[in-house]
Amino acid sequence: MSDGPGAGNLQRRVRKIGAPVVSILWDIQLSGYERLPADGPAILCPNHISFLDSAFLAFTVPRNISFVGKAEYMDSWKTKFLFPALGMIPIDRSGGSASNAALDAAEEVLNRGELFGIYPEGTRSRDGTLGKGRTGAARLAMKVGCPIYPVGIVGTDEIQPPDAKVPKLRKTAEIRIGRPIKPERYMNRGAEHMAWRSMIDEVMFEVRELSGQTYVNQYHGQTAETEPTVAARVGNVTDAANRFEQQQVDEARIALAAKG
């Protein structure tokens, strides 16, 4: 049992009992899971298209995973005790200092050497597009020194769309784990907030490749006050180093245009 926030023995027991049941009710195809570390901290960043995304990830990863979840779940007697017991860390999605407690709790989870999941879009996509990523995951990765694994989830929106109350059975979904993105590549490269932005933009590019979604260069939901105002751009080349170089050129052009 963990001594702090996040997943503990209850999630471990639920995963052991529930995983076989989930595999009977739905066909969940998995790829890239061999990339996940057997121990040590790591952040998983999936796209978010259904209420079931967190559950399907928790039932399929090889060890406990704690997830950020909206603070509104704490307002209902149905979820206020159960979800935190299963590893949910509530977050106030208004951004700024209101979100710091959740990030502090996530840091504690990672410092224990555990898995942590966070949706960089901040909320579910209601139109099927992939929104601009918020920088919280990159901030955590750089502070703790752990990798981020992009995750592409496909088909859960057909099983349970955002407004559906119950899931449809006997349908197929797919979860794809991408290559790890390590924070060392982005450290000591200028302003801290731009390093966060560069890292999370690479994460979103990989999520787009894994999920097959159309990327839109805007936030889903309310814009967090902690986000930098420089417009982000997801790269369109395959080599990671070239993507980073191209992004720096784009940012320089934006800065020159602002001065002009």
Side-chain angles (χ1 to χ4, degrees):
M1 182 177 179
S2 64
D3 296 325
N9 284 337
L10 179 59
Q11 189 191 100
R12 191 172 294 109
R13 291 194 293 268
V14 170
R15 288 176 58 243
K16 184 176 181 179
I17 296 169
V21 176
V22 169
S23 67
I24 293 171
L25 296 177
W26 297 282
D27 176 18
I28 307 177
Q29 301 173 7
L30 311 177
S31 60
Y33 275 59
E34 72 282 355
R35 291 177 164 139
L36 294 177
D39 52 46
I43 299 171
L44 276 67
C45 279
N47 58 317
H48 198 13
I49 54 177
S50 172
F51 174 77
L52 291 174
D53 295 336
S54 299
F56 280 6
L57 261 178
F59 282 124
T60 56
V61 293
R63 52 194 178 110
N64 273 10
I65 180 170
S66 303
F67 260 101
V68 157
K70 60 184 181 181
E72 290 89 329
Y73 285 133
M74 305 302 290
D75 298 331
S76 171
W77 64 269
K78 298 177 182 178
T79 54
K80 69 180 298 183
F81 299 111
L82 178 62
F83 281 14
L86 289 173
M88 188 197 84
I89 297 171
I91 185 170
D92 186 326
R93 296 180 296 171
S94 62
S97 59
S99 302
N100 288 342
L103 294 179
D104 290 343
E107 182 182 347
E108 188 174 337
V109 167
L110 292 167
N111 284 331
R112 294 199 304 258
E114 300 173 8
L115 298 179
F116 172 69
I118 183 170
Y119 299 108
E121 294 172 275
T123 188
R124 276 173 277 179
S125 172
R126 294 188 170 270
D127 60 6
T129 61
L130 181 68
K132 184 176 176 180
R134 303 182 190 277
T135 58
R139 292 167 59 187
L140 282 170
M142 291 187 187
K143 189 170 185 180
V144 176
C146 70
I148 293 178
Y149 287 81
V151 181
I153 301 177
V154 180
T156 54
D157 54 342
E158 295 293 328
I159 296 174
Q160 186 170 3
D163 294 319
K165 296 191 179 298
V166 294
K168 301 173 184 177
L169 304 180
R170 310 297 183 183
K171 286 188 169 290
T172 300
E174 187 171 357
I175 304 176
R176 305 162 181 162
I177 308 291
R179 62 177 182 83
I181 296 174
K182 299 180 180 180
E184 300 90 272
R185 290 182 49 240
Y186 293 96
M187 292 178 176
N188 303 316
R189 291 196 178 189
E192 191 176 51
H193 72 279
M194 292 308 301
W196 298 338
R197 170 52 53 198
S198 297
M199 186 177 186
I200 206 65
D201 278 354
E202 182 178 355
V203 171
M204 299 312 292
F205 175 86
E206 297 296 337
V207 171
R208 184 186 73 175
E209 295 297 292
L210 293 163
S211 68
Q213 292 170 282
T214 298
Y215 177 81
V216 293
N217 190 32
Q218 61 186 33
Y219 295 113
H220 287 329
Q222 189 176 17
T223 300
E225 63 187 58
T226 54
E227 299 297 338
T229 56
V230 177
R233 174 183 175 276
V234 170
N236 56 7
V237 294
T238 56
D239 181 73
N242 287 342
R243 289 199 301 272
F244 182 85
E245 182 179 351
Q246 182 61 51
Q247 184 178 321
Q248 299 308 300
V249 172
D250 292 341
E251 289 166 358
R253 289 173 178 168
I254 291 172
L256 287 173
K259 290 180 180 179

